């Protein structure tokens, strides 16, 4: 598939969550704001955004996709990060279809190919009869060595808080233990069940697009779902949760199950 990068379209931005998110129907959430992250303007906002996104997907009402955004208010900022679309052809219809269905990943450098039994980002894998599937992941960064790759596994239980706290975060690659490389490949069998979704985060030594030193390289996939959504009977008070999230960035990047 072709990988096509788009760096500017309207979405549900971080500052609109509490005002409009609960009143509107949406499919995409801005979870990575390059300018704010690089400048430290909104401390902890990225971690809060990813948690908010994961919790919304644990509601089981629909599939929500994560969006990367430059927040480019000037030409020097544009292209610091983007969304790489997985396309069979580059046409307006194909681009809109990819955005609508989560067939893309956010990145400021690394390239990602991720599927489970051939089902890619944004889509749902029918539950295999034996509860087993093959996960395939390929990550390449032409601009800088990879430093860490994390696999997140969530299982809907009907209770958002319970499911969020039970999430699994696995470190697939750590340069301090595994050595320096610009390419990572993995194929392995995993156990799957109804109501699960998987996503990947990639960290590398530097961004390809000239971000500030504080930024570093970062990319994330949209989830791959398994089986049917399990709608939550017990939901978070989203407003209260969003205001109280306080994940520690260092712990978050280390891949610990916090």
């Amino acid at each position: 598939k072709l990988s096509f990068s788009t760096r500017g379209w309207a979405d549900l931005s971080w500052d609109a969550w509490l005002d409009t998110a609960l009143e509107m129907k949406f499919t995409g959430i801005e979870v990575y704001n390059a300018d704010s992250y690089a400048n430290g303007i909104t401390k902890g906002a990225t971690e809060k955004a990813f948690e908010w996104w994961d919790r919304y997907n644990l509601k089981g009402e629909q599939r929500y996709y994560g969006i990367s955004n430059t927040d480019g208010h000037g030409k020097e900022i544009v292209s610091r990060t983007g969304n790489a679309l997985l396309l069979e052809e580059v046409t307006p219809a194909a681009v809109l279809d990819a955005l609508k269905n989560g067939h893309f990943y956010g990145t400021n450098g690394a390239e990602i190919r991720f599927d489970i039994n051939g089902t890619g980002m944004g889509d749902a894998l029918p539950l295999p009869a034996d509860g087993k599937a093959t996960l395939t992941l390929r990550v390449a960064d032409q601009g800088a060595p990879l430093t860490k790759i994390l696999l997140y596994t969530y299982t809907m239980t009907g209770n958002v808080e319970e499911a969020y706290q039970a999430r699994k975060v696995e470190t697939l690659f750590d340069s301090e233990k595994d050595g320096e490389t610009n390419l990572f490949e993995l194929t392995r069998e995993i156990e799957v069940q109804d109501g699960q979704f998987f996503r990947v985060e990639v960290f590398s030594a530097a961004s390809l697009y000239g971000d500030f030193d504080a930024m570093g390289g970062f990319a994330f996939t949209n989830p791959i779902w398994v089986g049917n959504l399990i709608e939550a009977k017990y939901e978070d008070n989203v407003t209260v949760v969003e205001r109280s999230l306080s994940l520690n960035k260092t712990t978050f990047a280390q891949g610990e199950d916090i």
Side-chain angles (χ1 to χ4, degrees):
K1 291 186 176 181
L2 298 171
S3 179
F4 176 80
S5 182
T6 177
R7 296 190 171 83
W9 85 91
D11 66 297
L12 180 60
S13 299
W14 64 273
D15 58 354
W17 292 350
L18 299 182
D19 296 330
T20 61
L22 303 183
E23 289 83 32
M24 66 182 290
K25 191 73 171 177
F26 62 96
T27 57
I29 300 172
E30 179 191 314
V31 293
Y32 187 68
N33 183 302
D35 189 49
S36 295
Y37 187 97
N39 285 286
I41 295 172
T42 49
K43 186 177 181 180
T46 300
E47 292 77 21
K48 292 178 182 179
F50 273 85
E51 179 170 344
W52 198 82
W53 176 34
D54 289 333
R55 286 178 179 270
Y56 244 82
N57 273 318
L58 287 170
K59 290 160 68 74
E61 56 191 12
Q62 69 175 63
R63 298 199 291 269
Y64 294 100
Y65 310 122
I67 297 166
S68 178
N69 180 35
T70 62
D71 199 7
H73 294 259
K75 63 181 181 180
E76 71 281 358
I77 299 176
V78 173
S79 294
R80 280 185 172 158
T81 191
N83 298 281
L85 277 59
L86 302 172
L87 306 173
E88 298 291 348
E89 58 180 356
V90 181
T91 65
V95 168
L96 291 174
D97 183 72
L99 294 173
K100 179 180 178 181
N101 293 289
H103 299 163
F104 61 91
Y105 58 93
T107 183
N108 65 14
E111 298 181 30
I112 307 174
R113 297 296 182 269
F114 174 45
D115 72 77
I116 301 177
N117 275 11
T119 296
M121 303 174 211
D123 290 333
L125 169 71
L127 181 65
D130 61 358
K132 297 180 180 180
T134 300
L135 181 150
T136 304
L137 175 66
R138 185 179 190 275
V139 180
D141 193 324
Q142 61 180 307
L146 302 168
T147 58
K148 194 178 294 290
I149 301 175
L150 308 177
L151 173 66
Y152 288 76
T153 304
Y154 288 89
T155 304
M156 301 172 213
T157 64
N159 184 312
V160 173
E161 180 64 24
E162 174 186 271
Y164 185 78
Q165 296 303 328
R167 71 197 181 281
K168 296 180 181 179
V169 186
E170 180 183 358
T171 301
L172 300 179
F173 172 81
D174 185 337
S175 60
E176 293 185 2
K177 298 178 181 178
D178 303 318
E180 185 174 299
T181 185
N182 294 72
L183 175 66
F184 174 83
E185 295 179 298
L186 173 70
T187 299
R188 77 177 191 197
E189 186 177 89
I190 59 173
E191 294 184 354
V192 295
Q193 65 185 76
D194 245 356
Q196 281 188 321
F197 60 91
F198 300 79
R199 64 176 183 84
V200 173
E201 292 181 8
V202 176
F203 299 82
S204 49
S207 165
L208 185 64
Y209 298 107
D211 291 275
F212 299 126
D213 292 339
M215 173 72 72
F218 181 63
F220 62 92
T221 72
N222 267 299
I224 297 173
W225 283 261
V226 177
N228 299 310
L229 299 178
I230 299 175
E231 193 162 354
K233 298 179 181 178
Y234 303 96
E235 298 184 7
D236 294 321
N237 180 323
V238 177
T239 301
V240 172
V241 169
E242 197 283 330
R243 286 174 174 164
S244 66
L245 300 183
S246 57
L247 297 183
N248 178 276
K249 181 179 182 299
T250 301
T251 303
F252 181 86
Q254 289 174 349
E256 296 179 10
D257 193 3
I258 52 179

